[in-house]
Amino acid sequence: DLAGDIVMHARIKVEGKRTAKPQRKFSLGGLMARVPQSYESPNWMSITTGTTDRPGRVESKITLAGSSKPREVAAKGGWMEFVLGRVGRVCAALYREEGGEWKLADRWPSEFPEVMQWGLTAYTDWDSYADLKKNPDKGNAKQIRGLPDLRMTVDFVRFLRPELPDYADPLNTASVPDDVLIKVLTPADA
């Protein structure tokens, strides 16, 4: 659990068990920050990579009161760096493919409480849940053998404190354009 403005920066690689990309649908790994004890009505944000409906994706997602709004872009795979952060009134998800430039995956209004749980997330093989997909109580309580196909390797995870001038409004792209937000949320040496 961490309070206030936070940047979580990590370098990860997501693969299938025997292939460069997971073959099972919704096999993703990356970073997540969630509201503690929000099981009845989940509230969280994440940035992950792997396979959604299609392999080779980066997915940024915010979930408020159990309703998710994902956004996907194509990705090469291999090693990636992710940033998930909160600064002032905004939360953001960033990614960088190996040797590439930082890109903003998404930015959202910060509707989260002061304290959140920050960490890694990985999940796989949504297809094996069949009818349990419609009943989260049963789905979360029943162990499914399924056909998992995800291997996530983590090189590092770092936590930093971002700094933004008091006059800047990170929700206003005219006040804080994407390139400025990226500079604020990425480590100086990254």
Side-chain angles (χ1 to χ4, degrees), residues 12-186:
I12 67 167
K13 180 168 51 171
V14 169
E15 303 168 284
K17 287 170 68 174
R18 293 181 182 86
T19 58
K21 296 176 184 169
Q23 301 301 302
R24 301 294 290 174
K25 285 186 181 179
F26 296 99
S27 294
L28 298 155
L31 305 179
M32 173 186 267
R34 68 180 190 170
V35 175
Q37 307 300 318
S38 66
Y39 307 112
E40 298 287 324
S41 181
N43 293 284
W44 50 271
M45 62 179 170
S46 67
I47 183 159
T48 57
T49 190
T51 298
T52 59
D53 280 331
R54 297 175 284 176
R57 310 299 287 173
V58 168
E59 180 186 76
S60 56
K61 186 186 299 184
I62 188 164
T63 298
L64 299 172
S67 178
S68 294
K69 294 181 181 171
R71 180 181 284 173
E72 295 179 22
V73 295
K76 291 183 262 182
W79 285 103
M80 299 191 76
E81 286 182 73
F82 285 141
V83 161
L84 192 62
R86 172 172 60 189
V87 59
R89 300 180 333 124
V90 74
C91 294
L94 290 75
Y95 68 98
R96 176 167 73 171
E97 295 176 293
E98 189 79 13
E101 298 292 320
W102 283 104
K103 296 178 183 174
L104 180 68
D106 222 334
R107 75 166 81 189
W108 311 282
S110 179
E111 300 178 21
F112 296 116
E114 181 73 7
V115 175
M116 292 186 63
Q117 295 173 330
W118 297 79
L120 300 168
T121 186
Y123 49 97
T124 184
D125 191 21
W126 185 237
D127 290 329
S128 290
Y129 273 86
D131 293 335
L132 295 176
K133 294 177 195 176
K134 296 177 182 141
N135 188 333
D137 291 334
K138 285 184 182 177
N140 288 326
K142 183 172 177 152
Q143 184 174 359
I144 304 292
R145 291 207 184 269
L147 299 167
D149 186 33
L150 180 92
R151 181 175 51 196
M152 183 167 84
T153 306
V154 180
D155 183 25
F156 64 80
V157 177
R158 297 180 181 127
F159 292 91
L160 310 162
R161 294 285 181 182
E163 294 183 25
L164 191 65
D166 291 337
Y167 62 83
D169 179 2
L171 283 178
N172 180 342
T173 56
S175 175
V176 181
D178 290 352
D179 63 324
V180 172
L181 187 61
I182 288 170
K183 187 171 176 120
V184 167
L185 294 178
T186 54

